[in-house]
Amino acid sequence: MSFSFPKLESIPEKFRILPIHQKRFLLDGELKVWEGKMEKVLSPIHLEENGKLTQVLLGSYPSFDERQAMAALESCLNAYRQGSGDWPQSTTEQRIGAIERFTELMMGKKEEIIKLLMWEIGKTHADSIKEFERTVEYIRDTIDALREMEAASSQFVYEKGIVAQIKRAPYGVVLCMGPFNYPLNETFCTLIPALAMGNTVLFKPAKFGVLLLEPLLECFQQAFPKGVINTLYGDGATVVSPIMESGKIDVFAFIGSSTTANLISKKHPKLNRLRSVLGLNAKNPAILLEDCDIDASIKEIVSGSLSYNGQRCTALKIIFVPESKAEEFTSKYLKVLSEWKSGMPWEKDVLLTPLPEEGKTKWLSELLQDATDKGAKIINANGGEVTESFMSPAVLFPVSKDSRIYKEEQFGPIVPIVPYKSIEETLDYVRISDMGQQASLFGKDPVILGKLVDLLVNQVARVNLNAQCQRGPDRFPFTGRKDSADGTLSVTDALRVFSIRSLVAAKEEEGSKEILRSILKTKSSRFLNTDSLP
Ligand code: G3H
C-alpha cells in the first residue's frame, strides 16, 4: 500500500501543534531573548491540502554568531573558575540536590517534550514516551551510582607507608553535543553525569530535536546555579569552531558521525588537554548460523534492523545468512515486515515514519541504485518507494561485497542481506570494517557459538546471542572499537569519563595522621572527608 501524508483535520486535536519561535536561550543563569538571525525548523511531516503536500514549519530557534558563542563559553569558564567556582567546589549531595530538582521540573514538561519528539524527528508516540521515561530513569540511576561511588571512595587507603584518600574530581568545561535520533536521552546521558561530577557544561542541541529542549531551559535555570549550564545554538562551523580553537574546552562529549567528531576535535590546539567521549558510526552485523531457529528470531531481527526506521546507531545494518537458509529467511523476513504499519508518529501501532534529515531519501535511493546496479534486488513490494521524507523500507538481496551499502552506514530503512558460503566471510567483514560497535549471532550450537564469541569479542564491544544489538540496559557498558566510539558510557562509566581520579596522600606517621584527623574533624575540606560513609 502506498504511503500518504494526512490532512490537518485528520490529526487528533491533542497531537496538533502550533509553530514555536524560540527566542530564549540560557546564558549566565538568565533566560535571555535572542534578537539576531534565526534557524528555521521543518518537520519531517508534510500535510496534504488540495492534493498538494507542504512540509510543516515547526518554528525557529536562535542562530548564534561567534560573539554569542564565545559569551556562552566565557560563562562556563567563569562558573568553573579553574576549579574554584561554587559548582566544582560544591559537595556531591549539593549537586545531587540540583539534579533532583531539575528532574522534578522536567517531569512537568513530559507531554510537551513527547509531542515535539514526534513532530521534530518523527519518532512514534510509544517510542517518544519510552525515550522520555528512560531518560528520567537514567538520571535517577546516575544519582544512585554517584552516591555509591562517593561512599566507596570515602575510605582511606594504606599502601607502602602512605595513607591516602582517592576520589574523583571534575575536568572543567564540557562541550556536550547529542544526536538527532535520541535528542533527549543520549544528550542527557552525557550532560547529566558531566554536571554531576562538578563540570560546567556548554550544551549544543542536536541538528534536529532542538525545540523539544526549549521547555527545559527554565528547568535548567531554576535548578542549577548561574553559568553551570549554558546553551549554544546555530551552525556548527560558526559557533563550535571558535570555541574549540580557544583551547579552553576540557571534555568533548559528542554522539554523531566520526567525520564531524574529527573535524571538531582537530580544531583544539591542546590535544592532550582535550578528553573525548564519543559515540560514533556503527555497521552492526546480524550473523545467522546454519542451525538458527528463524521462526524464533525473525521478529527480533526485523525489529533490530528497522525500529525507528533503522535510525539507531545500534541497528542491525547488514544481515549475513547461510546460502542454504537464504530463501527461508528472506520470505519470513518479508512476512513479518508486511505487518509493519507505516504512518504518522501518533497513529496507533505505526512503526515506520518519515525521516527528519533533509535529502536523506534521495541519498538512500542512491544507495539502493548502486546496490541494484551491482546485482541485488529490492525483494519487497513498494520497497524504496519515496514520498517526500518517507521511504518505504527496502530489503535488498543478494547484496554484493562491492556495493556501497555493504560498507557504508545507511542509518535508514534499508536492509541489506548477504548470502554466505563460509562463516569466514562474515568474520572477514567484521575484521576489515572501520566500525566495531556490536554484532548479533543467531544460532544454537554451543561449540560454534562459543568459538565465534571468542573471535568477535576482540573485534566489537558487545556480542548479542539470539538478540538484536542495543545500548541498554543502561547499567551495561556501551562503547565501540575502531571508528565507533571513544570512551565507555554506562550509568557508572559516564561518571568516570567526566572526572579524573585525584588523591590526597600523606606519610603514614602520627604527625600526618593527626593533621588528617583534624581536617576531618573540623570539616575544613569538602574533598577530604568521610561524610558519605554509612
Ligand atoms: O543510536 C544509538 C543509541 O545509543 C541506540 O540505543 O540501542 O537503546 O536504541 P538503543
Side-chain angles (χ1 to χ4, degrees), residues 122-136:
K123 193 165 268 193
T124 64
H125 189 223
D127 281 350
S128 299
I129 295 174
K130 238 188 267 166
E131 176 161 356
F132 186 93
E133 290 176 351
R134 180 180 177 183
T135 307
V136 171

Side-chain angles (χ1 to χ4, degrees), residues 88-101:
Q89 284 296 327
S90 59
T91 64
T92 300
E93 276 310 315
Q94 284 166 333
R95 293 200 292 270
I96 287 176
I99 294 169
E100 281 177 336
R101 171 95 182 105

Side-chain angles (χ1 to χ4, degrees), residues 134 181-182 186 312-314 469-472 478:
R134 180 180 177 183
N181 62 337
Y182 282 96
E186 291 227 301
R312 291 164 58 230
C313 62
T314 48
C469 298
Q470 60 177 327
R471 176 184 175 134
F478 177 55

